[in-house]
Amino acid sequence: MRYRLLLFAAALLAAAALARAESPKPGDAKPADWRPPFEVDEETLKVLEESYRAGAYGTPNLPLKTDENYAHTPRDVEPFRGTPPHKRHFLEQMEYTGPGRAIPEPAEVKTVKIGFIGPIEPTVSVATGGKSHEEALGIPMLRGCQLALEEANAKGGYLRRKIPFELVVKNDNGLWGSSGNVIIDLAYKDEVWAILGTIDGANSHIAIRVGLKIEIPMMNTGDTDPTFIETNIPWVMRCIGDDRQQCYLLADYLYRKLGYKRVAIIRASNRYGRFGVREIRDASRRMQNPIPVEMAYQLTTEDFSLQLERIKASKAEAVVHWGDADHGAKILNQMRAMGMNQPYFACDRCCSEEFVKIAGKNAEGVVCAYPWNPDRKDPKLDAFRAAYRSRFNAEPETYAAHAYDGMNMVLWAIQVAGLNRARIRDVLAYRTKPWPGVTGDIRLSACLDDIGEVYLAKYEGGRWHYYSREDLQIPRGPQRAPGDHGEAVAKD
Protein backbone atom coordinates (compact mmCIF):
# COMPACT_ATOMS: atom_id res chain seq x y z
CA MET A 1 0.00 0.00 0.00
CA ARG A 2 2.80 2.35 0.93
CA TYR A 3 4.55 1.49 -2.36
CA ARG A 4 1.44 2.42 -4.35
CA LEU A 5 1.12 5.71 -2.49
CA LEU A 6 4.74 6.54 -3.27
CA LEU A 7 4.19 5.74 -6.95
CA PHE A 8 1.07 7.89 -6.99
CA ALA A 9 2.88 10.81 -5.34
CA ALA A 10 5.77 10.48 -7.80
CA ALA A 11 3.33 10.51 -10.69
CA LEU A 12 1.70 13.68 -9.35
CA LEU A 13 5.07 15.37 -8.97
CA ALA A 14 6.08 14.37 -12.50
CA ALA A 15 2.79 15.67 -13.89
CA ALA A 16 3.20 18.95 -12.03
CA ALA A 17 6.76 19.33 -13.31
CA LEU A 18 5.62 18.65 -16.88
CA ALA A 19 2.80 21.17 -16.52
CA ARG A 20 5.25 23.79 -15.26
CA ALA A 21 7.57 23.09 -18.15
CA GLU A 22 4.80 23.38 -20.71
CA SER A 23 2.92 26.33 -19.17
CA PRO A 24 3.78 29.76 -20.56
CA LYS A 25 6.22 31.79 -18.52
CA PRO A 26 5.21 35.32 -17.49
CA GLY A 27 5.43 37.46 -20.59
CA ASP A 28 5.10 34.56 -23.04
CA ALA A 29 1.37 35.22 -23.44
CA LYS A 30 1.67 38.72 -24.88
CA PRO A 31 -1.00 39.30 -27.53
CA ALA A 32 0.10 39.47 -31.11
CA ASP A 33 -0.63 43.21 -31.23
CA TRP A 34 1.15 44.08 -27.98
CA ARG A 35 3.36 46.63 -29.71
CA PRO A 36 1.96 50.18 -29.87
CA PRO A 37 0.26 51.14 -33.18
CA PHE A 38 2.82 53.90 -33.74
CA GLU A 39 6.55 54.29 -33.27
CA VAL A 40 7.77 54.74 -29.72
CA ASP A 41 11.24 54.88 -28.21
CA GLU A 42 13.07 51.80 -26.97
CA GLU A 43 12.62 52.78 -23.32
CA THR A 44 8.82 52.80 -23.69
CA LEU A 45 8.90 49.41 -25.44
CA LYS A 46 11.00 48.05 -22.58
CA VAL A 47 8.51 49.33 -20.00
CA LEU A 48 5.60 47.79 -21.88
CA GLU A 49 7.34 44.45 -22.36
CA GLU A 50 8.31 44.22 -18.70
CA SER A 51 4.78 45.14 -17.68
CA TYR A 52 3.44 42.21 -19.71
CA ARG A 53 6.16 39.90 -18.39
CA ALA A 54 5.28 40.71 -14.77
CA GLY A 55 1.88 39.08 -15.21
CA ALA A 56 -0.38 38.63 -12.20
CA TYR A 57 2.25 37.71 -9.62
CA GLY A 58 5.29 39.85 -10.35
CA THR A 59 6.35 43.48 -10.74
CA PRO A 60 8.08 44.93 -13.78
CA ASN A 61 11.82 44.40 -13.72
CA LEU A 62 12.50 48.10 -14.17
CA PRO A 63 14.53 50.60 -12.15
CA LEU A 64 12.45 52.77 -9.87
CA LYS A 65 12.91 56.51 -10.02
CA THR A 66 15.00 57.77 -7.12
CA ASP A 67 15.52 61.43 -6.19
CA GLU A 68 18.36 62.76 -4.09
CA ASN A 69 16.22 65.54 -2.71
CA TYR A 70 12.46 65.91 -2.30
CA ALA A 71 10.90 68.61 -4.48
CA HIS A 72 14.14 70.61 -4.91
CA THR A 73 13.91 71.73 -1.28
CA PRO A 74 16.86 74.05 -0.43
CA ARG A 75 19.06 72.60 2.29
CA ASP A 76 18.53 75.54 4.64
CA VAL A 77 14.75 75.19 4.31
CA GLU A 78 14.56 71.47 5.15
CA PRO A 79 12.96 70.64 8.52
CA PHE A 80 15.22 69.27 11.27
CA ARG A 81 18.21 69.88 9.02
CA GLY A 82 20.58 69.76 11.99
CA THR A 83 19.86 66.07 12.59
CA PRO A 84 20.04 63.39 9.88
CA PRO A 85 16.63 61.70 9.75
CA HIS A 86 16.09 57.96 10.09
CA LYS A 87 14.17 57.96 6.82
CA ARG A 88 13.72 60.42 3.97
CA HIS A 89 10.26 60.21 2.48
CA PHE A 90 9.11 60.59 -1.14
CA LEU A 91 12.53 59.92 -2.66
CA GLU A 92 11.86 56.46 -4.11
CA GLN A 93 9.07 55.65 -6.52
CA MET A 94 6.27 53.42 -5.24
CA GLU A 95 5.52 50.17 -7.04
CA TYR A 96 2.18 48.68 -7.92
CA THR A 97 2.48 45.02 -6.91
CA GLY A 98 -1.05 43.78 -7.59
CA PRO A 99 -2.41 41.38 -10.23
CA GLY A 100 -3.98 43.98 -12.54
CA ARG A 101 -1.48 43.52 -15.36
CA ALA A 102 -2.92 40.06 -16.06
CA ILE A 103 -6.43 41.33 -16.83
CA PRO A 104 -7.04 40.82 -20.57
CA GLU A 105 -8.35 43.57 -22.80
CA PRO A 106 -12.15 43.26 -23.12
CA ALA A 107 -13.50 41.73 -26.30
CA GLU A 108 -16.38 44.15 -26.84
CA VAL A 109 -15.70 47.87 -26.50
CA LYS A 110 -17.57 50.53 -28.46
CA THR A 111 -15.73 53.56 -27.06
CA VAL A 112 -12.71 54.07 -24.82
CA LYS A 113 -14.02 56.06 -21.89
CA ILE A 114 -11.96 58.50 -19.82
CA GLY A 115 -13.38 60.14 -16.71
CA PHE A 116 -13.35 63.85 -15.87
CA ILE A 117 -14.21 65.31 -12.47
CA GLY A 118 -14.06 69.05 -11.90
CA PRO A 119 -16.05 72.04 -10.60
CA ILE A 120 -18.22 72.96 -13.58
CA GLU A 121 -21.65 73.60 -11.99
CA PRO A 122 -22.40 75.84 -8.98
CA THR A 123 -23.12 74.14 -5.66
CA VAL A 124 -23.26 74.97 -1.97
CA SER A 125 -21.28 73.06 0.66
CA VAL A 126 -19.44 73.44 3.93
CA ALA A 127 -16.20 72.15 2.33
CA THR A 128 -16.07 75.07 -0.12
CA GLY A 129 -17.05 77.65 2.49
CA GLY A 130 -20.61 78.13 1.28
CA LYS A 131 -21.37 78.76 -2.37
CA SER A 132 -18.87 77.09 -4.67
CA HIS A 133 -16.35 79.40 -6.34
CA GLU A 134 -14.11 77.32 -8.60
CA GLU A 135 -16.32 76.92 -11.70
CA ALA A 136 -14.30 79.60 -13.48
CA LEU A 137 -11.31 77.26 -13.11
CA GLY A 138 -13.07 73.98 -13.77
CA ILE A 139 -14.75 74.94 -17.05
CA PRO A 140 -11.46 75.79 -18.82
CA MET A 141 -10.02 72.55 -17.41
CA LEU A 142 -12.91 70.62 -19.00
CA ARG A 143 -12.40 72.42 -22.30
CA GLY A 144 -8.71 71.53 -22.36
CA CYS A 145 -9.64 67.87 -21.91
CA GLN A 146 -12.31 68.05 -24.60
CA LEU A 147 -9.93 69.61 -27.11
CA ALA A 148 -7.25 66.96 -26.53
CA LEU A 149 -9.77 64.15 -26.87
CA GLU A 150 -11.38 65.62 -30.00
CA GLU A 151 -7.98 65.96 -31.64
CA ALA A 152 -7.19 62.33 -30.80
CA ASN A 153 -10.49 61.19 -32.33
CA ALA A 154 -9.78 63.22 -35.47
CA LYS A 155 -6.56 61.18 -35.82
CA GLY A 156 -8.38 57.86 -35.60
CA GLY A 157 -9.32 57.49 -31.93
CA TYR A 158 -8.09 54.37 -30.16
CA LEU A 159 -5.90 53.05 -32.95
CA ARG A 160 -5.82 49.38 -31.91
CA ARG A 161 -9.60 49.07 -32.35
CA LYS A 162 -10.40 52.06 -34.59
CA ILE A 163 -12.97 53.26 -32.07
CA PRO A 164 -13.41 56.75 -30.58
CA PHE A 165 -12.43 58.04 -27.18
CA GLU A 166 -15.30 59.25 -25.00
CA LEU A 167 -15.12 61.75 -22.13
CA VAL A 168 -17.41 60.98 -19.19
CA VAL A 169 -17.95 64.28 -17.35
CA LYS A 170 -18.84 64.58 -13.65
CA ASN A 171 -19.24 67.70 -11.53
CA ASP A 172 -17.13 68.09 -8.38
CA ASN A 173 -19.78 69.54 -6.10
CA GLY A 174 -17.59 70.22 -3.09
CA LEU A 175 -18.98 67.49 -0.82
CA TRP A 176 -16.25 65.17 0.45
CA GLY A 177 -18.28 61.97 0.39
CA SER A 178 -19.74 62.82 -2.99
CA SER A 179 -16.35 63.00 -4.71
CA GLY A 180 -15.65 59.43 -3.61
CA ASN A 181 -19.02 58.29 -4.98
CA VAL A 182 -18.24 59.96 -8.30
CA ILE A 183 -14.97 58.00 -8.61
CA ILE A 184 -16.85 54.76 -7.90
CA ASP A 185 -19.45 55.57 -10.56
CA LEU A 186 -16.78 56.43 -13.11
CA ALA A 187 -14.85 53.22 -12.45
CA TYR A 188 -17.67 50.69 -12.13
CA LYS A 189 -20.74 52.11 -13.86
CA ASP A 190 -19.08 54.05 -16.66
CA GLU A 191 -16.05 51.73 -16.85
CA VAL A 192 -13.50 54.42 -17.61
CA TRP A 193 -9.84 53.53 -18.07
CA ALA A 194 -8.37 56.60 -16.34
CA ILE A 195 -9.61 59.71 -14.55
CA LEU A 196 -8.52 63.36 -14.81
CA GLY A 197 -9.29 65.89 -12.05
CA THR A 198 -9.88 67.76 -9.81
CA ILE A 199 -9.05 71.23 -8.35
CA ASP A 200 -10.25 71.41 -4.75
CA GLY A 201 -7.59 69.98 -2.43
CA ALA A 202 -9.93 68.34 0.08
CA ASN A 203 -12.01 66.63 -2.60
CA SER A 204 -8.90 65.51 -4.48
CA HIS A 205 -7.61 63.76 -1.36
CA ILE A 206 -10.87 61.83 -0.98
CA ALA A 207 -10.99 60.98 -4.68
CA ILE A 208 -7.49 59.52 -4.90
CA ARG A 209 -7.97 57.35 -1.82
CA VAL A 210 -11.00 55.80 -3.46
CA GLY A 211 -8.98 55.49 -6.66
CA LEU A 212 -6.33 53.57 -4.70
CA LYS A 213 -8.87 50.92 -3.74
CA ILE A 214 -10.26 50.76 -7.27
CA GLU A 215 -6.77 50.70 -8.83
CA ILE A 216 -7.25 53.21 -11.63
CA PRO A 217 -4.79 55.78 -13.04
CA MET A 218 -5.58 59.33 -11.89
CA MET A 219 -4.01 62.40 -13.50
CA ASN A 220 -4.29 65.70 -11.67
CA THR A 221 -3.90 68.96 -13.58
CA GLY A 222 -5.33 71.62 -11.26
CA ASP A 223 -4.79 70.89 -7.56
CA THR A 224 -1.57 72.59 -6.43
CA ASP A 225 -1.82 71.37 -2.81
CA PRO A 226 1.69 70.06 -1.97
CA THR A 227 0.28 67.25 0.17
CA PHE A 228 -1.75 65.81 -2.71
CA ILE A 229 1.21 63.80 -4.02
CA GLU A 230 2.50 62.97 -0.52
CA THR A 231 -0.18 60.31 -0.08
CA ASN A 232 2.13 57.63 -1.54
CA ILE A 233 -0.53 56.28 -3.89
CA PRO A 234 1.12 54.61 -6.91
CA TRP A 235 -1.87 55.33 -9.18
CA VAL A 236 -1.71 59.11 -8.83
CA MET A 237 0.34 61.63 -10.83
CA ARG A 238 0.26 65.39 -11.36
CA CYS A 239 1.40 67.50 -14.32
CA ILE A 240 1.33 71.00 -12.77
CA GLY A 241 3.91 72.64 -10.52
CA ASP A 242 2.56 72.74 -6.97
CA ASP A 243 2.47 75.44 -4.28
CA ARG A 244 5.61 74.03 -2.67
CA GLN A 245 7.65 74.76 -5.79
CA GLN A 246 6.06 78.18 -6.20
CA CYS A 247 6.61 79.08 -2.53
CA TYR A 248 10.29 78.17 -2.68
CA LEU A 249 10.81 80.46 -5.66
CA LEU A 250 8.83 83.24 -4.00
CA ALA A 251 10.78 82.87 -0.74
CA ASP A 252 14.09 83.00 -2.59
CA TYR A 253 12.93 86.14 -4.40
CA LEU A 254 11.67 87.87 -1.23
CA TYR A 255 14.63 87.08 1.01
CA ARG A 256 17.66 86.15 -1.07
CA LYS A 257 17.06 88.62 -3.90
CA LEU A 258 15.08 91.54 -2.44
CA GLY A 259 16.39 91.24 1.13
CA TYR A 260 13.09 91.63 2.99
CA LYS A 261 13.02 90.73 6.69
CA ARG A 262 9.33 91.12 7.58
CA VAL A 263 6.74 89.62 5.23
CA ALA A 264 3.09 89.32 6.26
CA ILE A 265 0.60 86.76 4.96
CA ILE A 266 -3.12 87.13 4.31
CA ARG A 267 -4.93 84.05 3.04
CA ALA A 268 -8.25 82.33 2.50
CA SER A 269 -9.46 80.21 5.43
CA ASN A 270 -10.03 77.15 3.21
CA ARG A 271 -7.64 74.31 2.47
CA TYR A 272 -6.21 76.09 -0.58
CA GLY A 273 -5.10 79.07 1.49
CA ARG A 274 -4.03 77.09 4.53
CA PHE A 275 -1.82 74.59 2.72
CA GLY A 276 -0.75 77.03 0.02
CA VAL A 277 1.20 79.27 2.40
CA ARG A 278 2.62 76.50 4.56
CA GLU A 279 5.93 76.25 2.70
CA ILE A 280 6.52 79.98 2.49
CA ARG A 281 5.73 80.30 6.20
CA ASP A 282 8.10 77.47 7.12
CA ALA A 283 10.77 78.65 4.67
CA SER A 284 10.62 82.16 6.15
CA ARG A 285 11.20 80.85 9.66
CA ARG A 286 14.04 78.55 8.61
CA MET A 287 15.69 81.40 6.69
CA GLN A 288 15.65 83.45 9.92
CA ASN A 289 12.83 85.76 8.74
CA PRO A 290 9.74 84.51 10.61
CA ILE A 291 6.35 85.74 9.42
CA PRO A 292 5.28 88.49 11.88
CA VAL A 293 1.56 88.01 11.23
CA GLU A 294 -0.64 85.61 9.23
CA MET A 295 -4.28 86.62 8.84
CA ALA A 296 -7.08 84.43 7.46
CA TYR A 297 -10.45 85.53 6.06
CA GLN A 298 -13.71 83.73 5.37
CA LEU A 299 -14.64 83.30 1.71
CA THR A 300 -17.74 85.45 2.23
CA THR A 301 -15.69 88.40 3.55
CA GLU A 302 -15.99 91.75 1.76
CA ASP A 303 -14.35 94.00 4.35
CA PHE A 304 -10.74 93.07 5.12
CA SER A 305 -9.97 96.04 7.35
CA LEU A 306 -9.50 93.93 10.50
CA GLN A 307 -6.87 91.75 8.84
CA LEU A 308 -5.16 94.70 7.16
CA GLU A 309 -5.02 96.80 10.34
CA ARG A 310 -3.11 94.02 12.07
CA ILE A 311 -0.77 93.63 9.10
CA LYS A 312 -0.21 97.37 9.11
CA ALA A 313 0.59 97.30 12.83
CA SER A 314 3.16 94.53 12.25
CA LYS A 315 5.27 96.92 10.16
CA ALA A 316 5.47 94.37 7.35
CA GLU A 317 7.73 95.30 4.44
CA ALA A 318 5.74 93.18 1.96
CA VAL A 319 2.45 91.28 1.85
CA VAL A 320 1.75 87.82 0.38
CA HIS A 321 -1.83 86.80 -0.47
CA TRP A 322 -3.01 83.21 -1.07
CA GLY A 323 -6.59 82.85 -2.25
CA ASP A 324 -8.89 83.48 -5.20
CA ALA A 325 -8.40 86.33 -7.66
CA ASP A 326 -11.41 88.41 -6.61
CA HIS A 327 -10.42 88.36 -2.94
CA GLY A 328 -6.82 89.13 -3.81
CA ALA A 329 -7.80 92.19 -5.84
CA LYS A 330 -10.23 93.51 -3.20
CA ILE A 331 -7.58 93.13 -0.50
CA LEU A 332 -5.07 95.03 -2.63
CA ASN A 333 -7.55 97.86 -3.25
CA GLN A 334 -8.32 98.16 0.47
CA MET A 335 -4.60 98.16 1.27
CA ARG A 336 -3.95 101.05 -1.05
CA ALA A 337 -7.01 102.93 0.24
CA MET A 338 -5.60 102.58 3.78
CA GLY A 339 -2.27 104.02 2.68
CA MET A 340 -0.49 100.67 2.77
CA ASN A 341 2.02 100.79 -0.07
CA GLN A 342 3.90 97.56 0.60
CA PRO A 343 4.81 95.45 -2.46
CA TYR A 344 2.08 92.85 -3.09
CA PHE A 345 2.79 89.21 -3.90
CA ALA A 346 0.23 86.51 -4.58
CA CYS A 347 -0.48 82.95 -5.68
CA ASP A 348 -1.05 81.80 -9.25
CA ARG A 349 -4.85 82.21 -9.07
CA CYS A 350 -4.35 85.99 -8.89
CA CYS A 351 -2.44 86.00 -12.18
CA SER A 352 -5.65 86.49 -14.12
CA GLU A 353 -7.76 88.99 -16.01
CA GLU A 354 -10.32 88.92 -13.21
CA PHE A 355 -7.70 90.17 -10.76
CA VAL A 356 -6.64 92.98 -13.09
CA LYS A 357 -10.23 94.01 -13.82
CA ILE A 358 -11.05 94.41 -10.11
CA ALA A 359 -7.68 95.84 -9.00
CA GLY A 360 -7.45 98.37 -11.83
CA LYS A 361 -4.39 100.62 -11.61
CA ASN A 362 -3.40 98.97 -8.31
CA ALA A 363 -2.46 95.82 -10.24
CA GLU A 364 0.68 97.51 -11.57
CA GLY A 365 3.75 95.89 -10.05
CA VAL A 366 1.98 92.91 -8.47
CA VAL A 367 4.04 89.71 -8.56
CA CYS A 368 2.48 86.23 -8.60
CA ALA A 369 4.01 82.80 -8.43
CA TYR A 370 3.08 80.82 -11.56
CA PRO A 371 3.54 77.19 -12.66
CA TRP A 372 4.56 77.85 -16.30
CA ASN A 373 5.49 80.48 -18.88
CA PRO A 374 2.63 81.28 -21.31
CA ASP A 375 4.94 83.65 -23.25
CA ARG A 376 7.24 80.78 -24.23
CA LYS A 377 7.97 80.52 -27.95
CA ASP A 378 6.79 77.04 -28.89
CA PRO A 379 4.94 75.86 -32.02
CA LYS A 380 2.96 73.37 -29.91
CA LEU A 381 1.71 76.16 -27.66
CA ASP A 382 0.82 78.33 -30.66
CA ALA A 383 -1.15 75.49 -32.25
CA PHE A 384 -2.97 74.79 -28.98
CA ARG A 385 -3.95 78.43 -28.59
CA ALA A 386 -5.26 78.62 -32.15
CA ALA A 387 -7.25 75.40 -31.79
CA TYR A 388 -8.69 76.44 -28.42
CA ARG A 389 -9.78 79.85 -29.75
CA SER A 390 -11.39 78.23 -32.77
CA ARG A 391 -13.22 75.63 -30.68
CA PHE A 392 -14.36 77.71 -27.69
CA ASN A 393 -14.08 81.34 -28.86
CA ALA A 394 -11.99 82.12 -25.78
CA GLU A 395 -8.37 82.48 -24.73
CA PRO A 396 -6.89 79.41 -23.01
CA GLU A 397 -5.46 79.88 -19.53
CA THR A 398 -3.46 77.76 -17.11
CA TYR A 399 -6.19 75.26 -16.18
CA ALA A 400 -7.03 74.64 -19.82
CA ALA A 401 -3.39 74.26 -20.83
CA HIS A 402 -2.47 71.85 -18.04
CA ALA A 403 -5.63 69.79 -18.60
CA TYR A 404 -4.75 69.58 -22.29
CA ASP A 405 -1.29 68.29 -21.40
CA GLY A 406 -2.59 65.87 -18.77
CA MET A 407 -5.22 64.44 -21.09
CA ASN A 408 -2.69 63.99 -23.88
CA MET A 409 -0.40 62.12 -21.49
CA VAL A 410 -3.28 59.80 -20.57
CA LEU A 411 -4.30 59.29 -24.21
CA TRP A 412 -0.71 58.46 -25.16
CA ALA A 413 -0.48 55.92 -22.32
CA ILE A 414 -3.71 54.22 -23.42
CA GLN A 415 -2.55 54.04 -27.03
CA VAL A 416 0.76 52.52 -25.93
CA ALA A 417 -0.44 50.15 -23.22
CA GLY A 418 -3.84 49.08 -24.50
CA LEU A 419 -6.96 48.71 -22.37
CA ASN A 420 -5.43 47.61 -19.10
CA ARG A 421 -5.37 50.07 -16.20
CA ALA A 422 -2.18 48.71 -14.63
CA ARG A 423 -0.20 48.93 -17.87
CA ILE A 424 -1.58 52.42 -18.57
CA ARG A 425 -0.24 53.38 -15.17
CA ASP A 426 3.11 51.65 -15.83
CA VAL A 427 3.99 53.50 -19.04
CA LEU A 428 3.36 56.83 -17.31
CA ALA A 429 4.98 55.96 -13.98
CA TYR A 430 8.16 54.48 -15.46
CA ARG A 431 8.59 57.14 -18.14
CA THR A 432 11.85 59.01 -17.56
CA LYS A 433 11.85 61.36 -20.55
CA PRO A 434 10.04 64.68 -19.98
CA TRP A 435 6.65 64.95 -21.65
CA PRO A 436 6.77 67.72 -24.30
CA GLY A 437 3.67 69.64 -23.26
CA VAL A 438 2.26 72.99 -24.31
CA THR A 439 3.05 74.16 -20.75
CA GLY A 440 6.68 73.10 -21.18
CA ASP A 441 8.59 69.92 -20.50
CA ILE A 442 6.80 67.90 -17.81
CA ARG A 443 9.22 65.76 -15.81
CA LEU A 444 7.73 63.53 -13.14
CA SER A 445 9.64 63.03 -9.91
CA ALA A 446 9.95 59.76 -8.01
CA CYS A 447 6.56 60.43 -6.42
CA LEU A 448 5.14 61.24 -9.88
CA ASP A 449 4.84 65.00 -9.34
CA ASP A 450 5.77 67.63 -11.93
CA ILE A 451 9.08 69.14 -10.80
CA GLY A 452 9.66 71.31 -13.85
CA GLU A 453 10.55 74.98 -13.63
CA VAL A 454 8.11 77.47 -12.09
CA TYR A 455 8.00 81.23 -12.74
CA LEU A 456 7.13 84.63 -11.37
CA ALA A 457 4.52 86.72 -13.20
CA LYS A 458 4.67 90.51 -12.87
CA TYR A 459 1.95 92.88 -14.06
CA GLU A 460 3.73 95.66 -15.95
CA GLY A 461 2.54 98.08 -18.61
CA GLY A 462 -0.93 96.59 -18.95
CA ARG A 463 -0.04 92.89 -19.16
CA TRP A 464 1.49 89.99 -17.28
CA HIS A 465 5.16 89.25 -17.95
CA TYR A 466 6.70 85.91 -16.96
CA TYR A 467 10.21 85.49 -15.56
CA SER A 468 12.31 82.48 -14.71
CA ARG A 469 14.70 82.33 -11.80
CA GLU A 470 17.54 82.98 -14.22
CA ASP A 471 15.76 85.94 -15.82
CA LEU A 472 15.55 87.68 -12.45
CA GLN A 473 18.90 86.35 -11.22
CA ILE A 474 17.29 84.96 -8.09
CA PRO A 475 19.89 83.16 -5.94
CA ARG A 476 19.28 79.50 -5.14
CA GLY A 477 19.47 78.16 -1.65
CA PRO A 478 22.12 75.55 -0.83
CA GLN A 479 21.25 72.24 -2.46
CA ARG A 480 21.88 68.73 -1.21
CA ALA A 481 24.67 67.03 -3.14
CA PRO A 482 24.21 63.41 -4.31
CA GLY A 483 24.51 61.10 -1.32
CA ASP A 484 24.89 64.00 1.11
CA HIS A 485 22.90 63.68 4.33
CA GLY A 486 24.93 66.07 6.42
CA GLU A 487 25.88 69.72 6.03
CA ALA A 488 24.62 71.91 3.23
CA VAL A 489 26.54 72.12 -0.03
CA ALA A 490 26.29 75.42 -1.87
CA LYS A 491 25.19 75.43 -5.49
CA ASP A 492 25.67 78.24 -7.97
Side-chain angles (χ1 to χ4, degrees), residues 302-413:
E302 292 292 331
D303 180 7
F304 303 92
S305 56
L306 171 64
Q307 290 87 348
L308 293 177
E309 286 290 354
R310 294 188 180 179
I311 290 175
K312 187 175 183 179
S314 74
K315 302 187 184 304
E317 300 169 294
V319 175
V320 172
H321 168 257
W322 222 270
D324 290 339
D326 58 339
H327 292 132
K330 292 172 184 176
I331 289 168
L332 175 60
N333 288 342
Q334 287 192 27
M335 276 181 58
R336 299 299 184 243
M338 292 170 61
M340 298 174 65
N341 296 316
Q342 293 97 330
Y344 194 73
F345 301 85
C347 58
D348 60 308
R349 289 191 183 184
C350 291
C351 180
S352 69
E353 292 306 313
E354 181 185 13
F355 179 91
V356 173
K357 183 178 180 180
I358 298 172
K361 64 179 181 180
N362 290 330
E364 187 70 19
V366 169
V367 175
C368 296
Y370 211 61
W372 67 299
N373 179 11
D375 284 347
R376 195 182 73 262
K377 301 303 180 185
D378 186 340
K380 298 189 299 296
L381 178 56
D382 294 339
F384 162 69
R385 280 204 177 101
Y388 191 94
R389 292 188 196 111
S390 175
R391 174 67 173 83
F392 301 108
N393 194 30
E395 285 293 324
E397 42 73 83
T398 183
Y399 290 91
H402 283 94
Y404 180 81
D405 279 346
M407 181 56 74
N408 275 316
M409 292 174 72
V410 169
L411 292 170
W412 172 83

Side-chain angles (χ1 to χ4, degrees), residues 435-487:
W435 177 264
V438 299
T439 58
D441 287 346
I442 299 168
R443 183 166 65 89
L444 298 181
S445 68
C447 53
L448 306 185
D449 200 14
D450 180 7
I451 53 171
E453 187 173 16
V454 294
Y455 295 80
L456 293 179
K458 187 173 184 178
Y459 194 76
E460 301 171 301
R463 64 181 293 265
W464 293 101
H465 297 263
Y466 302 88
Y467 300 99
S468 68
R469 180 185 291 271
E470 286 67 30
D471 291 335
L472 296 175
Q473 298 182 339
I474 301 172
R476 290 183 183 273
Q479 300 293 297
R480 188 176 293 282
D484 169 47
H485 298 289
E487 294 301 318

Side-chain angles (χ1 to χ4, degrees), residues 54-182:
Y57 305 109
T59 55
N61 183 24
L62 294 165
L64 299 175
K65 295 178 183 176
T66 303
D67 296 333
E68 288 289 342
N69 172 263
Y70 173 54
H72 298 315
T73 305
R75 182 69 179 90
D76 59 352
V77 175
E78 289 182 355
F80 310 109
R81 60 189 180 277
T83 304
H86 295 292
K87 179 177 176 59
R88 294 187 179 275
H89 296 281
F90 317 122
L91 295 183
E92 185 171 275
Q93 179 182 339
M94 287 199 69
E95 292 182 289
Y96 166 61
T97 59
R101 299 177 182 92
I103 300 174
E105 184 163 320
E108 295 293 331
V109 183
K110 294 182 179 179
T111 62
V112 176
K113 296 179 180 179
I114 303 172
F116 171 91
I117 175 172
I120 55 176
E121 296 176 3
T123 58
V124 177
S125 80
V126 175
T128 56
K131 185 179 183 297
S132 59
H133 58 283
E134 293 177 337
E135 291 78 36
L137 314 179
I139 291 172
M141 186 169 80
L142 173 60
R143 289 174 174 175
C145 291
Q146 290 172 328
L147 181 60
L149 190 138
E150 289 168 4
E151 290 178 349
N153 281 337
K155 296 175 183 177
Y158 179 54
L159 299 176
R160 294 174 188 266
R161 299 283 192 92
K162 307 298 183 186
I163 56 177
F165 291 103
E166 178 184 350
L167 192 64
V168 181
V169 180
K170 303 288 186 180
N171 183 49
D172 180 2
N173 67 10
L175 295 172
W176 288 13
S178 175
S179 60
N181 293 337
V182 167

Side-chain angles (χ1 to χ4, degrees), residues 415-450:
Q415 298 279 29
V416 169
L419 300 184
N420 177 285
R421 290 172 178 173
R423 286 197 295 275
I424 293 168
R425 176 258 172 202
D426 282 349
V427 296
L428 286 169
Y430 287 101
R431 182 186 174 101
T432 60
K433 293 183 174 63
W435 177 264
V438 299
T439 58
D441 287 346
I442 299 168
R443 183 166 65 89
L444 298 181
S445 68
C447 53
L448 306 185
D449 200 14
D450 180 7

